[in-house]
Amino acid sequence: MTAEPSGAPLEEFLADPAHCTLDLASAVTHCAKSLGLRHAVVYLSDIQQRHLVPLTDVAPSLPIDDSLAGWCYRTQSLRVEESDRDGTTAWHPLLDGAERLGVLAVHARAITAESLRRGRALAALLAMMVSSKRAYKDSFVRRTRTAPMHLPAEMLRAFLPPRTIGNRDVVSTAVLEPAYDIGGDAFDHSLTTTSLHAVVLDAMGHNLLSGLTSAVALAACRNARRTGADLRALVENVDEALSRWLPDQFCTGVLARLDYRTGVLEWSNCGHPAPLLIRDQQLIVDRWRARPTRPWGCARCSPRGTAGCTRCDCSPATGCCCTPTV
């Protein structure tokens, strides 16, 4: 009988400064070997979360809606199956906090409690590696795209946060479609020790300037939020930024702040279609009520519904040209 490898080889591998710049595919191989695992493959989700794409060309892509790997990704749960590699495969979710990155396939001759524990440890380690490298590794980006990215979408996606954030009390997730041609659509969300902040934006037009408008609005939101501004001050900060730097543009949006200790939700609608509330797969009608507001960057508009407004479609229905309210 031979003893299973301890964690010492992995510690030595991670402690070696020469390995800091090692590419992820090589790191997967070395870490799996150090943990005594037979073989491991990283699969990343594509932008639209339809396929799981292997990090290298060692295996085909897998459909998220119709595979055991996809089941692991969707439910964030372990899945074990017989493998065509003369053994078994354990599928582990790759998670960066609340965000799903993909899955890790660990191939073994036999599944044991120890191999599952080491597989989970490897998945946690690789998730951190993926998160730290994907912002500047174009190889990750290329493998997770299934179509050419239009320039406005390319620019705006560089400013977006992870699509899912959360903790034990609250989770926020966002998806943009059409994924490769998003124009001026954008989102932002963040967490403090007590609150979730979220914003959905839609800038005028569908071109590079639209994306720039949303980028400025995102920066203004974050700048105000990070100085402790309340929701009203945040709205005013975005309006001032757009009026100053992009005076010919405007942007609609919905902002929200949820105190997840008390359950109190504050929100402001700036010229945007009203949010929808869905519970148990049912639409709750007429639950979101608020006074109409105007889009950001529309500061020179005349009183609501008059013909003096030349910077947006002004009407009582859209609520353009009234003072932003919370």
Side-chain angles (χ1 to χ4, degrees), residues 29 62 89 127 130 175 230-231 281 285 289 297 319:
T29 301
L62 300 171
T89 299
V130 170
V175 175
D230 61 17
L231 208 59
Q281 301 182 353
V285 181
R289 296 182 181 274

Side-chain angles (χ1 to χ4, degrees), residues 11-316:
E11 294 174 10
E12 294 173 1
F13 172 78
L14 296 176
D16 189 343
H19 296 149
C20 291
T21 57
L22 197 65
D23 67 276
L24 187 60
S26 299
V28 172
T29 301
H30 281 80
C31 290
K33 182 179 179 181
S34 298
L35 288 170
L37 300 173
R38 181 182 178 188
H39 181 57
V41 180
V42 170
Y43 291 77
L44 300 178
S45 167
D46 76 311
I47 291 178
Q48 295 171 296
Q49 300 183 82
R50 296 176 180 173
H51 304 281
L52 290 167
V53 184
L55 193 62
T56 57
D57 294 322
V58 296
S61 298
L62 300 171
I64 286 179
D65 287 339
D66 190 26
S67 67
L68 290 176
W71 186 93
C72 169
Y73 176 83
R74 297 194 312 271
T75 64
Q76 303 179 36
S77 304
L78 172 71
R79 189 71 171 178
V80 177
E81 65 173 330
E82 293 184 355
S83 172
D84 57 5
R85 292 175 175 267
D86 187 28
T88 57
T89 299
W91 296 97
H92 298 270
L94 288 176
L95 303 173
D96 178 21
E99 185 181 18
R100 299 175 296 184
L101 304 175
V103 297
L104 174 69
V106 177
H107 305 289
R109 290 184 175 84
I111 296 294
T112 65
E114 185 68 13
S115 70
L116 291 178
R117 184 181 67 82
R118 290 178 177 174
R120 289 196 301 271
L122 180 59
L125 174 62
L126 294 177
M128 289 187 285
M129 289 183 176
V130 170
S131 296
S132 67
K133 295 177 182 294
R134 59 178 172 166
Y136 64 88
K137 295 283 285 189
D138 281 353
S139 56
F140 287 12
V141 175
R142 287 195 297 268
R143 298 198 71 83
T144 55
R145 291 183 180 180
T146 60
M149 183 73 69
H150 292 189
L151 181 58
E154 188 76 68
M155 180 190 71
L156 194 51
R157 282 194 176 276
F159 294 97
L160 297 181
R163 61 188 167 205
T164 301
I165 62 171
N167 55 29
R168 293 181 178 181
D169 298 301
V170 64
V171 172
S172 174
T173 189
V175 175
L176 290 174
E177 289 287 356
Y180 298 92
D181 187 22
I182 56 178
D185 299 320
F187 68 90
D188 193 22
H189 45 200
S190 67
L191 288 167
T192 69
T193 56
T194 60
S195 301
L196 166 70
H197 292 261
V199 59
V200 174
L201 303 173
D202 183 10
M204 175 185 71
H206 198 78
N207 51 34
L208 193 62
L209 188 56
S210 303
L212 181 60
T213 303
S214 290
V216 171
L218 283 176
C221 280
R222 291 168 180 167
N223 181 253
R225 189 181 68 227
R226 290 166 181 172
T227 58
D230 61 17
L231 208 59
R232 183 183 298 275
L234 194 151
V235 169
E236 293 172 351
N237 199 59
V238 176
D239 194 41
E240 180 182 350
L242 290 180
S243 297
R244 178 180 180 184
W245 299 108
L246 294 169
D248 295 325
Q249 292 292 110
F250 71 86
C251 179
T252 68
V254 175
L255 298 91
R257 176 184 178 275
L258 172 66
D259 187 325
Y260 52 78
R261 301 171 307 172
T262 64
V264 173
L265 175 69
E266 300 175 88
W267 67 288
S268 179
N269 186 338
C270 297
H272 201 74
L276 300 178
L277 178 61
I278 299 174
R279 286 180 176 164
D280 299 324
Q281 301 182 353
Q282 297 294 321
L283 175 63
I284 309 301
V285 181
D286 295 332
R287 183 62 59 91
W288 295 81
R289 296 182 181 274
R291 289 189 295 157
T293 64
R294 62 177 173 79
W296 287 305
C298 218
R300 293 198 299 270
C301 288
S302 300
R304 182 180 61 191
T306 69
C309 179
T310 60
R311 301 180 60 196
C312 59
D313 295 329
C314 185
S315 72

